[in-house]
Amino acid sequence: MLYTSEALQQLIEEFAALPGIGRKTAQRLALHILKQPRDEIVQMARALVNVKDRIRYCSSCWNITEIDPCPICSSPKRDRGIVCVVEEPNDVMAVEKTNEFKGLYHVLGGSLSPLDGIGPDDLKVRELIQRMNGEVSEVILALNPNVEGEATTLYLTKLLKPLGVKVSRIARGIPVGGDLEFADEATLSRALEGRVEL
Amino acid sequence: MLYTSEALQQLIEEFAALPGIGRKTAQRLALHILKQPRDEIVQMARALVNVKDRIRYCSSCWNITEIDPCPICSSPKRDRGIVCVVEEPNDVMAVEKTNEFKGLYHVLGGSLSPLDGIGPDDLKVRELIQRMNGEVSEVILALNPNVEGEATTLYLTKLLKPLGVKVSRIARGIPVGGDLEFADEATLSRALEGRVEL
């Protein structure tokens, strides 16, 4: 008799179904929950459902938001002339963390991947093109530096350039704090290509 | 503007408050939740609250249970003459997984730790002594092999021996699949002490 409680067993299954959480961690988390005050558990349960009920997609940039348009798209402080294209909402968070970028975003919802059957119509590509209405002067492509991201970058460049907007991509190179010795060849050759004059 | 949704931010905080889950993992989990169907999220939220509402402690062995006495204590298949003493409910699960032990359990709720102010009255020690009513012939002490566990093992041995029950402890030694070369001195010397004649 491994579990003397069905409720506990069910919670362990729920935790174990989350990505990157194994059975042992799931068990540890469930036993931790058991020791918490009821109020806090109810609060956590509510937070779970709230995320589902309150969040939708911004009709302009397709980032997640509770109000449409999203706080970034409706902010008067943001530069409406520059749009950063990313794959997923967590990429927006990653860029926002830098405090470097003050323009708007466009979340594609993934990257082109013919092998998985993901073509331009499965991404917010048409919506991106529709945003090129003269107000936007530069598009920064910030897709993941893998095969799918590269293909998407090339595809979008071909679509955007004829519209007369400046198209750039984020630099690929040695990460800050990284070590030349441990960099792979592809990264190092991109770092050389992208060298900056001093 | 790091998070464009307060609901998402709150769920990230909730996940990050769990033991062993950092901010990055919390963010990844919250975005995973966002992509799940609403039904599944509601089911998970319910599992959280159920654990709090349905689980209590067995009045005999102090393991977690939904019915009192717990399924192990009330099972006719278990040997009532042998009691395995452990620190926490997850230790019961660990022993049950072996399918080796067919007796009953007693969950202390921790181990003696004078530095943290945990004495015998904070553990289910008195309740363990009260169970020594003649029916129990052997007590196996299965506490964690650390300083607190050792102290608790010695303390319980002194209390139980005069009651005329056989008291044993689980073996300390090289883990199965382990390597002599990498075993620490304390483990290796316990393994030598506890050698078994062939």
Side-chain angles (χ1 to χ4, degrees):
Chain A
M1 198 169 310
L2 192 47
Y3 299 113
T4 49
S5 154
E6 222 175 279
L8 187 73
Q9 191 171 359
Q10 211 196 323
L11 185 60
I12 293 173
E13 310 283 353
E14 292 288 343
F15 276 130
L18 293 174
I21 303 225
R23 271 207 90 76
K24 269 210 169 152
T25 307
Q27 188 177 305
R28 197 163 45 79
L29 291 177
L31 288 165
H32 169 85
I33 293 293
L34 193 59
K35 286 189 177 174
Q36 300 310 300
R38 191 177 188 280
D39 296 359
E40 287 185 22
I41 301 312
V42 170
Q43 193 182 313
M44 186 174 184
R46 231 173 248 149
L48 276 167
V49 181
N50 275 348
V51 153
K52 247 354 239 189
D53 287 351
R54 294 202 190 150
I55 295 180
R56 40 191 172 154
Y57 292 96
C58 172
S59 61
S60 173
C61 73
W62 302 95
N63 189 12
I64 52 174
T65 181
E66 290 180 35
I67 38 165
D68 188 15
C70 77
I72 293 177
C73 283
S74 59
S75 165
K77 289 180 184 166
R78 313 289 301 213
D79 180 353
R80 320 193 77 74
I82 180 162
V83 170
C84 178
V85 179
V86 296
E87 291 180 17
E88 300 284 355
N90 50 341
D91 298 326
V92 173
M93 296 178 200
V95 177
E96 282 293 283
K97 261 187 201 149
T98 66
N99 252 321
E100 192 73 42
F101 179 72
K102 292 297 168 210
L104 304 181
Y105 290 93
H106 190 86
V107 181
L108 288 176
S111 52
L112 293 175
S113 177
L115 285 176
D116 301 316
I118 300 174
D121 290 342
D122 303 305
L123 308 174
K124 301 294 177 193
V125 171
R126 197 174 311 137
E127 289 81 354
L128 174 64
I129 301 304
Q130 277 163 2
R131 287 178 73 181
M132 302 301 125
N133 51 10
E135 201 182 11
V136 177
S137 60
E138 182 176 357
V139 172
I140 301 176
L141 301 174
L143 304 170
N144 287 321
N146 51 28
V147 178
E148 292 81 14
E150 292 301 298
T152 315
T153 296
L154 290 176
Y155 177 80
L156 292 178
T157 306
K158 270 191 190 163
L159 280 183
L160 291 165
K161 277 245 171 169
L163 302 177
V165 288
K166 191 174 150 190
V167 182
S168 62
R169 64 178 300 159
I170 55 168
R172 293 164 298 180
I174 312 292
V176 176
D179 208 317
L180 272 191
E181 191 183 358
F182 301 123
D184 60 294
E185 299 82 18
T187 301
L188 200 48
S189 70
R190 295 289 171 256
L192 285 166
E193 267 174 42
R195 66 191 178 277
V196 179
E197 211 176 299
L198 300 171
Chain B
M1 197 170 310
L2 190 48
Y3 299 114
T4 49
S5 153
E6 223 175 278
L8 186 73
Q9 191 171 0
Q10 211 196 324
L11 185 60
I12 293 173
E13 310 283 352
E14 293 287 343
F15 277 130
L18 294 174
I21 303 228
R23 271 208 88 75
K24 269 210 171 153
T25 307
Q27 187 178 306
R28 198 163 43 80
L29 291 177
L31 287 165
H32 169 84
I33 292 293
L34 193 59
K35 287 187 179 175
Q36 300 311 299
R38 191 175 188 281
D39 296 358
E40 286 186 23
I41 301 311
V42 170
Q43 193 183 313
M44 185 176 185
R46 232 174 248 149
L48 276 166
V49 181
N50 276 348
V51 153
K52 245 358 237 190
D53 287 350
R54 294 203 190 148
I55 294 180
R56 39 191 172 154
Y57 292 96
C58 172
S59 61
S60 173
C61 73
W62 301 95
N63 189 12
I64 51 174
T65 181
E66 290 180 34
I67 38 164
D68 188 15
C70 77
I72 293 177
C73 285
S74 59
S75 166
K77 288 182 185 165
R78 313 289 302 211
D79 180 355
R80 320 193 77 75
I82 180 162
V83 171
C84 178
V85 179
V86 296
E87 292 181 16
E88 301 284 356
N90 49 341
D91 299 325
V92 173
M93 296 177 201
V95 177
E96 282 293 285
K97 261 186 202 151
T98 66
N99 254 322
E100 191 72 43
F101 179 72
K102 292 296 168 210
L104 304 181
Y105 291 93
H106 189 87
V107 181
L108 288 175
S111 52
L112 292 175
S113 177
L115 287 175
D116 300 318
I118 300 174
D121 290 342
D122 302 306
L123 306 175
K124 302 293 177 195
V125 171
R126 194 173 314 137
E127 290 80 355
L128 174 64
I129 302 303
Q130 278 163 1
R131 288 178 72 182
M132 302 301 124
N133 51 9
E135 201 182 10
V136 177
S137 60
E138 182 175 358
V139 172
I140 301 175
L141 300 173
L143 305 170
N144 287 322
N146 52 28
V147 178
E148 292 80 16
E150 292 302 297
T152 314
T153 297
L154 289 175
Y155 177 80
L156 292 178
T157 307
K158 269 191 191 163
L159 281 184
L160 291 165
K161 277 247 170 170
L163 302 178
V165 286
K166 190 174 151 191
V167 182
S168 62
R169 64 177 301 158
I170 54 168
R172 293 164 300 179
I174 311 292
V176 176
D179 208 318
L180 270 191
E181 189 183 358
F182 302 122
D184 61 294
E185 299 84 15
T187 300
L188 199 48
S189 71
R190 296 289 172 257
L192 284 166
E193 268 174 43
R195 63 190 179 279
V196 179
E197 212 176 299
L198 299 171

mmCIF file of all heavy atoms in Angstrom, chain A residues 47-70:
data_model
loop_
_atom_site.group_PDB
_atom_site.id
_atom_site.type_symbol
_atom_site.label_atom_id
_atom_site.label_comp_id
_atom_site.label_asym_id
_atom_site.label_seq_id
_atom_site.Cartn_x
_atom_site.Cartn_y
_atom_site.Cartn_z
ATOM 1 N N ALA A 47 -5.073 30.943 -7.861
ATOM 2 C CA ALA A 47 -4.109 31.519 -8.806
ATOM 3 C C ALA A 47 -4.051 30.683 -10.085
ATOM 4 O O ALA A 47 -3.942 31.217 -11.191
ATOM 5 C CB ALA A 47 -2.729 31.607 -8.158
ATOM 6 N N LEU A 48 -4.162 29.358 -9.934
ATOM 7 C CA LEU A 48 -4.133 28.457 -11.092
ATOM 8 C C LEU A 48 -5.303 28.737 -12.028
ATOM 9 O O LEU A 48 -5.127 28.903 -13.233
ATOM 10 C CB LEU A 48 -4.221 27.001 -10.620
ATOM 11 C CG LEU A 48 -2.928 26.321 -10.198
ATOM 12 C CD1 LEU A 48 -3.233 25.033 -9.463
ATOM 13 C CD2 LEU A 48 -2.072 26.023 -11.416
ATOM 14 N N VAL A 49 -6.491 28.794 -11.439
ATOM 15 C CA VAL A 49 -7.688 28.975 -12.268
ATOM 16 C C VAL A 49 -7.743 30.392 -12.832
ATOM 17 O O VAL A 49 -8.154 30.593 -13.972
ATOM 18 C CB VAL A 49 -8.952 28.613 -11.461
ATOM 19 C CG1 VAL A 49 -10.193 28.770 -12.315
ATOM 20 C CG2 VAL A 49 -8.857 27.170 -10.959
ATOM 21 N N ASN A 50 -7.291 31.372 -12.043
ATOM 22 C CA ASN A 50 -7.281 32.771 -12.500
ATOM 23 C C ASN A 50 -6.482 32.937 -13.781
ATOM 24 O O ASN A 50 -6.873 33.676 -14.686
ATOM 25 C CB ASN A 50 -6.658 33.681 -11.434
ATOM 26 C CG ASN A 50 -7.694 34.110 -10.416
ATOM 27 O OD1 ASN A 50 -8.899 33.924 -10.630
ATOM 28 N ND2 ASN A 50 -7.244 34.671 -9.316
ATOM 29 N N VAL A 51 -5.335 32.264 -13.832
ATOM 30 C CA VAL A 51 -4.480 32.369 -15.006
ATOM 31 C C VAL A 51 -5.263 31.964 -16.253
ATOM 32 O O VAL A 51 -5.178 32.602 -17.299
ATOM 33 C CB VAL A 51 -3.225 31.483 -14.817
ATOM 34 C CG1 VAL A 51 -2.671 31.031 -16.137
ATOM 35 C CG2 VAL A 51 -2.171 32.256 -14.057
ATOM 36 N N LYS A 52 -6.068 30.912 -16.101
ATOM 37 C CA LYS A 52 -6.867 30.434 -17.227
ATOM 38 C C LYS A 52 -8.005 31.399 -17.548
ATOM 39 O O LYS A 52 -8.325 31.625 -18.709
ATOM 40 C CB LYS A 52 -7.476 29.085 -16.841
ATOM 41 C CG LYS A 52 -7.003 27.853 -17.587
ATOM 42 C CD LYS A 52 -6.098 28.007 -18.711
ATOM 43 C CE LYS A 52 -6.645 27.465 -20.001
ATOM 44 N NZ LYS A 52 -5.605 27.457 -21.056
ATOM 45 N N ASP A 53 -8.624 31.966 -16.511
ATOM 46 C CA ASP A 53 -9.836 32.761 -16.722
ATOM 47 C C ASP A 53 -9.558 34.201 -17.125
ATOM 48 O O ASP A 53 -10.359 34.816 -17.818
ATOM 49 C CB ASP A 53 -10.689 32.748 -15.444
ATOM 50 C CG ASP A 53 -11.355 31.396 -15.256
ATOM 51 O OD1 ASP A 53 -11.288 30.578 -16.196
ATOM 52 O OD2 ASP A 53 -11.927 31.150 -14.183
ATOM 53 N N ARG A 54 -8.446 34.747 -16.669
ATOM 54 C CA ARG A 54 -8.224 36.178 -16.891
ATOM 55 C C ARG A 54 -7.327 36.488 -18.078
ATOM 56 O O ARG A 54 -7.354 37.582 -18.610
ATOM 57 C CB ARG A 54 -7.582 36.794 -15.641
ATOM 58 C CG ARG A 54 -8.527 36.755 -14.459
ATOM 59 C CD ARG A 54 -8.141 37.778 -13.430
ATOM 60 N NE ARG A 54 -8.908 37.576 -12.221
ATOM 61 C CZ ARG A 54 -8.480 37.866 -11.006
ATOM 62 N NH1 ARG A 54 -7.269 38.382 -10.854
ATOM 63 N NH2 ARG A 54 -9.237 37.660 -9.949
ATOM 64 N N ILE A 55 -6.493 35.518 -18.464
ATOM 65 C CA ILE A 55 -5.509 35.836 -19.494
ATOM 66 C C ILE A 55 -6.018 35.552 -20.899
ATOM 67 O O ILE A 55 -6.622 34.526 -21.163
ATOM 68 C CB ILE A 55 -4.187 35.073 -19.226
ATOM 69 C CG1 ILE A 55 -3.573 35.582 -17.928
ATOM 70 C CG2 ILE A 55 -3.222 35.243 -20.386
ATOM 71 C CD1 ILE A 55 -2.282 34.916 -17.556
ATOM 72 N N ARG A 56 -5.817 36.524 -21.787
ATOM 73 C CA ARG A 56 -6.108 36.291 -23.201
ATOM 74 C C ARG A 56 -4.952 36.887 -24.012
ATOM 75 O O ARG A 56 -3.945 37.290 -23.431
ATOM 76 C CB ARG A 56 -7.441 36.936 -23.580
ATOM 77 C CG ARG A 56 -7.630 38.286 -22.917
ATOM 78 C CD ARG A 56 -9.042 38.783 -23.086
ATOM 79 N NE ARG A 56 -9.262 39.964 -22.288
ATOM 80 C CZ ARG A 56 -10.147 40.882 -22.564
ATOM 81 N NH1 ARG A 56 -10.900 40.756 -23.639
ATOM 82 N NH2 ARG A 56 -10.302 41.937 -21.789
ATOM 83 N N TYR A 57 -5.117 36.940 -25.341
ATOM 84 C CA TYR A 57 -4.030 37.441 -26.176
ATOM 85 C C TYR A 57 -4.331 38.864 -26.632
ATOM 86 O O TYR A 57 -5.472 39.185 -26.959
ATOM 87 C CB TYR A 57 -3.812 36.516 -27.370
ATOM 88 C CG TYR A 57 -3.270 35.184 -26.925
ATOM 89 C CD1 TYR A 57 -4.113 34.101 -26.707
ATOM 90 C CD2 TYR A 57 -1.907 35.021 -26.655
ATOM 91 C CE1 TYR A 57 -3.615 32.879 -26.251
ATOM 92 C CE2 TYR A 57 -1.408 33.810 -26.205
ATOM 93 C CZ TYR A 57 -2.265 32.750 -26.006
ATOM 94 O OH TYR A 57 -1.773 31.560 -25.549
ATOM 95 N N CYS A 58 -3.309 39.699 -26.640
ATOM 96 C CA CYS A 58 -3.432 41.074 -27.125
ATOM 97 C C CYS A 58 -3.726 41.015 -28.627
ATOM 98 O O CYS A 58 -3.025 40.312 -29.356
ATOM 99 C CB CYS A 58 -2.134 41.827 -26.855
ATOM 100 S SG CYS A 58 -2.079 43.463 -27.607
ATOM 101 N N SER A 59 -4.734 41.737 -29.095
ATOM 102 C CA SER A 59 -5.121 41.654 -30.505
ATOM 103 C C SER A 59 -4.140 42.403 -31.397
ATOM 104 O O SER A 59 -4.238 42.339 -32.620
ATOM 105 C CB SER A 59 -6.528 42.210 -30.697
ATOM 106 O OG SER A 59 -6.539 43.570 -30.299
ATOM 107 N N SER A 60 -3.180 43.118 -30.785
ATOM 108 C CA SER A 60 -2.198 43.822 -31.587
ATOM 109 C C SER A 60 -0.879 43.051 -31.636
ATOM 110 O O SER A 60 -0.374 42.735 -32.707
ATOM 111 C CB SER A 60 -1.983 45.220 -31.013
ATOM 112 O OG SER A 60 -0.929 45.849 -31.682
ATOM 113 N N CYS A 61 -0.324 42.698 -30.462
ATOM 114 C CA CYS A 61 1.005 42.074 -30.453
ATOM 115 C C CYS A 61 0.956 40.570 -30.157
ATOM 116 O O CYS A 61 1.957 39.890 -30.222
ATOM 117 C CB CYS A 61 1.915 42.774 -29.446
ATOM 118 S SG CYS A 61 1.513 42.418 -27.721
ATOM 119 N N TRP A 62 -0.225 40.036 -29.766
ATOM 120 C CA TRP A 62 -0.405 38.617 -29.488
ATOM 121 C C TRP A 62 0.387 38.118 -28.288
ATOM 122 O O TRP A 62 0.626 36.928 -28.136
ATOM 123 C CB TRP A 62 -0.157 37.757 -30.732
ATOM 124 C CG TRP A 62 -1.085 38.191 -31.809
ATOM 125 C CD1 TRP A 62 -0.804 39.080 -32.792
ATOM 126 C CD2 TRP A 62 -2.474 37.851 -31.945
ATOM 127 N NE1 TRP A 62 -1.924 39.315 -33.552
ATOM 128 C CE2 TRP A 62 -2.967 38.572 -33.070
ATOM 129 C CE3 TRP A 62 -3.346 37.015 -31.249
ATOM 130 C CZ2 TRP A 62 -4.283 38.485 -33.498
ATOM 131 C CZ3 TRP A 62 -4.650 36.917 -31.679
ATOM 132 C CH2 TRP A 62 -5.106 37.651 -32.794
ATOM 133 N N ASN A 63 0.800 39.065 -27.429
ATOM 134 C CA ASN A 63 1.372 38.665 -26.142
ATOM 135 C C ASN A 63 0.210 38.365 -25.197
ATOM 136 O O ASN A 63 -0.920 38.753 -25.464
ATOM 137 C CB ASN A 63 2.224 39.821 -25.585
ATOM 138 C CG ASN A 63 3.025 39.397 -24.368
ATOM 139 O OD1 ASN A 63 3.131 38.205 -24.052
ATOM 140 N ND2 ASN A 63 3.604 40.368 -23.681
ATOM 141 N N ILE A 64 0.482 37.670 -24.085
ATOM 142 C CA ILE A 64 -0.587 37.409 -23.113
ATOM 143 C C ILE A 64 -0.884 38.690 -22.344
ATOM 144 O O ILE A 64 0.010 39.499 -22.085
ATOM 145 C CB ILE A 64 -0.201 36.281 -22.150
ATOM 146 C CG1 ILE A 64 1.165 36.545 -21.526
ATOM 147 C CG2 ILE A 64 -0.187 34.951 -22.859
ATOM 148 C CD1 ILE A 64 1.564 35.553 -20.470
ATOM 149 N N THR A 65 -2.146 38.875 -21.990
ATOM 150 C CA THR A 65 -2.563 40.090 -21.296
ATOM 151 C C THR A 65 -3.907 39.858 -20.602
ATOM 152 O O THR A 65 -4.601 38.883 -20.910
ATOM 153 C CB THR A 65 -2.701 41.259 -22.291
ATOM 154 O OG1 THR A 65 -3.086 42.428 -21.565
ATOM 155 C CG2 THR A 65 -3.748 40.964 -23.358
ATOM 156 N N GLU A 66 -4.251 40.747 -19.672
ATOM 157 C CA GLU A 66 -5.577 40.665 -19.055
ATOM 158 C C GLU A 66 -6.503 41.706 -19.658
ATOM 159 O O GLU A 66 -7.712 41.608 -19.543
ATOM 160 C CB GLU A 66 -5.468 40.849 -17.539
ATOM 161 C CG GLU A 66 -4.795 39.645 -16.884
ATOM 162 C CD GLU A 66 -4.664 39.770 -15.379
ATOM 163 O OE1 GLU A 66 -5.552 40.348 -14.742
ATOM 164 O OE2 GLU A 66 -3.658 39.275 -14.841
ATOM 165 N N ILE A 67 -5.913 42.772 -20.259
ATOM 166 C CA ILE A 67 -6.718 43.786 -20.946
ATOM 167 C C ILE A 67 -6.215 43.905 -22.381
ATOM 168 O O ILE A 67 -5.034 43.721 -22.647
ATOM 169 C CB ILE A 67 -6.593 45.170 -20.260
ATOM 170 C CG1 ILE A 67 -5.143 45.384 -19.767
ATOM 171 C CG2 ILE A 67 -7.562 45.319 -19.100
ATOM 172 C CD1 ILE A 67 -4.811 46.793 -19.423
ATOM 173 N N ASP A 68 -7.140 44.174 -23.296
ATOM 174 C CA ASP A 68 -6.783 44.253 -24.709
ATOM 175 C C ASP A 68 -6.997 45.674 -25.209
ATOM 176 O O ASP A 68 -8.105 46.194 -25.085
ATOM 177 C CB ASP A 68 -7.660 43.257 -25.485
ATOM 178 C CG ASP A 68 -7.206 43.138 -26.931
ATOM 179 O OD1 ASP A 68 -6.091 43.576 -27.246
ATOM 180 O OD2 ASP A 68 -7.992 42.604 -27.730
ATOM 181 N N PRO A 69 -6.034 46.383 -25.783
ATOM 182 C CA PRO A 69 -4.649 45.959 -26.002
ATOM 183 C C PRO A 69 -3.854 45.852 -24.692
ATOM 184 O O PRO A 69 -4.253 46.418 -23.686
ATOM 185 C CB PRO A 69 -4.086 47.061 -26.892
ATOM 186 C CG PRO A 69 -4.921 48.255 -26.622
ATOM 187 C CD PRO A 69 -6.293 47.732 -26.300
ATOM 188 N N CYS A 70 -2.731 45.137 -24.759
ATOM 189 C CA CYS A 70 -1.946 44.845 -23.567
ATOM 190 C C CYS A 70 -1.262 46.115 -23.031
ATOM 191 O O CYS A 70 -1.164 47.116 -23.745
ATOM 192 C CB CYS A 70 -0.902 43.781 -23.889
ATOM 193 S SG CYS A 70 0.508 44.399 -24.797
#
